[in-house]
Amino acid sequence: MVVKQRPFFGVLAAISVCHALNDLNPSVLQASYPVVKATYHLDFSQIGLITLIYQITASLLQPLVGMYTDRRPTPWSLPVGMAFMSGGMLLLSQAATYPIVLMSSALIGLGSSIFHPESSRLARLASGGQHGLAQSLFQLGGNSGVALGPVMAALLIAPRGPSSFAWFCVAGLCGIAISSRVGRWYRVHVKPRISSTSELVVADDDGLSRRRVAFAICILIALIFSKYFYLASISTFFTFYLVSRFHIALRSAQMCLFAFMGATALGTLIGGPVGDRIGRKAVIWGSILGVLPFTLALPYVSLAWTIALAVAIGLVLSSAFSAILVYAQELVPGRIGMISGLFFGLAFGMAGIGAAVLGRVADATSVFFVYRMCAFLPAIGLLAAFLPES
């Protein structure tokens, strides 16, 4: 039985800030796609490939990093991951050709794959037993960074061009400094927790067989697919959609994307604590299936309603991830790093594949068709009914 204590809110705040600085960079890149598309004369498929390269490099290594850190905690992985991220942004600012843009995207993804598994474990270590709350605070940082990306892109990249990506190395240097300090706390506290069986045997009293655990994990993977394929349609193509359909200025479209991203940050903060109180299955069920009426209506409404529905979708849909992650960690106790790496990796991988696939669909049809097609994805949330009670 785990002895509960008060969360280390100072540590959670620091790791949340690091998460914000880490996730700011790819968000700035995605929000700057119209500038990148015009600068390098790209089509939608090539734009989707940039996201795919980032998301694949951010996803494939994460389970491996998590498996390694389950056996050998590595506090230094946080500043190292942010160093790779900063290097990618610096290379992007000097990119003269499209292949260099892809290489920069790969470096950004590599930094993310190193950062996330161990930082998620650190958040759980500092949770004091309130795992949903800790993951929500951790995710709040990441989603806040993602939300700030369109604003920073509008202020820096749109008026000054791709060379301004270099300014975001400053955020990386701040993240390296903060994560190095947090790493010292981690080194002091991780050894007693790792050597204790309490972390490894969280609760195997549910009596779930390996087959039921595997079945539940497969359902969670399907829900991740639904959530992040749909989010890829917003994060990658929403500015194009707004400019093409409603003929608004690029900066206005980026601010609309910021409103969506801000709603995802708020939803993330809500999802974890609510899951601690009412059960994670209820949050997962309500979050993914609950957005279906909004996604079905989105392609057919006016600009004002489009923004309102996008905010509602971001608020509701984003509350799922913290609940899914903690639910999975409790299904497989003692493998916190591997499960964190697997689900962060799946999130990035599904988003990357979604961006690439939807980019091809947009080229073959239109960006409007993409939103009509993706509207049905949240119906996969019906599978949550088959999850064991948390």
Side-chain angles (χ1 to χ4, degrees):
M1 181 178 178
V2 179
V3 177
K4 292 188 177 182
Q5 57 184 1
R6 288 180 58 84
F8 294 88
F9 284 110
V11 175
L12 291 173
I15 197 63
S16 182
V17 169
C18 290
H19 199 187
L21 296 174
N22 182 86
D23 286 13
L24 171 66
N25 294 322
S27 175
V28 168
L29 173 58
Q30 287 187 326
S32 302
Y33 279 164
V35 175
V36 173
K37 186 175 187 290
T39 300
Y40 300 99
H41 309 291
L42 308 179
D43 56 28
F44 284 119
S45 296
Q46 289 172 308
I47 290 293
L49 184 58
I50 296 173
T51 301
L52 177 64
I53 292 294
Y54 161 71
Q55 303 286 20
I56 290 299
T57 53
S59 65
L60 290 181
L61 290 178
Q62 288 207 42
L64 299 177
V65 172
M67 291 173 66
Y68 177 82
T69 57
D70 277 334
R71 295 183 173 89
R72 189 173 300 177
T74 51
W76 50 263
S77 65
L78 277 65
V80 168
M82 301 208 70
F84 274 102
M85 185 79 68
S86 297
M89 294 299 283
L90 183 61
L91 181 62
L92 183 62
S93 71
Q94 303 301 314
T97 63
Y98 178 63
I100 301 299
V101 174
L102 295 180
M103 188 181 303
S104 304
S105 184
L107 277 176
I108 293 170
L110 181 60
S112 186
S113 69
I114 296 171
F115 174 85
H116 281 97
E118 197 69 332
S119 57
S120 180
R121 181 207 300 280
L122 196 157
R124 186 177 178 90
L125 184 67
S127 69
Q130 299 183 46
H131 304 311
L133 173 64
Q135 286 299 328
S136 283
L137 291 173
F138 175 62
Q139 290 301 318
L140 174 64
N143 283 353
S144 297
V146 170
L148 284 173
V151 176
M152 303 305 292
L155 295 177
L156 291 176
I157 309 300
R160 296 179 175 85
S163 62
S164 299
F165 283 119
W167 283 104
F168 295 93
C169 293
V170 176
L173 292 174
C174 292
I176 290 170
I178 297 170
S179 61
S180 297
R181 187 175 182 86
V182 171
R184 289 195 288 271
W185 179 91
Y186 188 16
R187 280 191 293 270
V188 171
H189 289 80
V190 72
K191 288 182 179 179
R193 184 65 70 93
I194 291 299
S195 63
S196 170
T197 58
S198 64
E199 179 70 11
L200 298 178
V201 186
V202 176
D204 203 18
D205 303 329
D206 297 332
L208 296 180
S209 65
R210 288 180 180 270
R211 181 174 297 181
R212 288 196 67 193
V213 169
F215 179 66
I217 292 292
C218 288
I219 291 176
L220 295 177
I221 290 171
L223 298 177
I224 288 288
F225 162 79
S226 168
K227 170 181 166 66
Y228 283 95
F229 241 72
Y230 189 83
L231 287 178
S233 73
I234 300 288
S235 61
T236 304
F237 301 110
F238 197 47
T239 53
F240 296 109
Y241 175 79
L242 293 174
V243 170
S244 299
R245 183 174 179 191
F246 300 110
H247 309 291
I248 63 175
L250 173 59
R251 180 170 292 189
S252 298
Q254 288 172 323
M255 290 303 168
C256 294
L257 182 60
F258 165 69
F260 168 79
M261 296 299 188
T264 64
L266 180 59
T268 298
L269 181 61
I270 294 171
V274 172
D276 284 338
R277 288 181 175 272
I278 69 172
R280 311 195 203 288
K281 180 179 175 179
V283 173
I284 295 168
W285 172 277
S287 172
I288 295 180
L289 189 61
V291 299
L292 184 59
F294 305 140
T295 61
L296 290 173
L298 182 70
Y300 306 102
V301 296
S302 66
L303 175 60
W305 275 108
T306 295
I307 297 169
L309 287 175
V311 168
I313 290 167
L315 182 66
V316 177
L317 192 57
S318 63
S319 63
F321 187 74
S322 295
I324 289 174
L325 181 59
V326 177
Y327 185 98
Q329 289 173 343
E330 292 172 350
L331 283 173
V332 191
R335 295 292 183 267
I336 303 304
M338 183 190 73
I339 291 296
S340 298
L342 173 64
F343 278 87
F344 275 111
L346 283 169
F348 288 125
M350 293 299 181
I353 294 170
V357 170
L358 296 177
R360 295 296 296 269
V361 172
D363 282 332
T365 57
S366 69
V367 72
F368 311 112
F369 178 78
V370 166
Y371 282 93
R372 290 195 293 270
M373 179 183 69
C374 290
F376 296 92
L377 283 172
I380 295 174
L382 288 167
L383 292 175
F386 299 100
L387 290 172
E389 294 297 330
S390 61

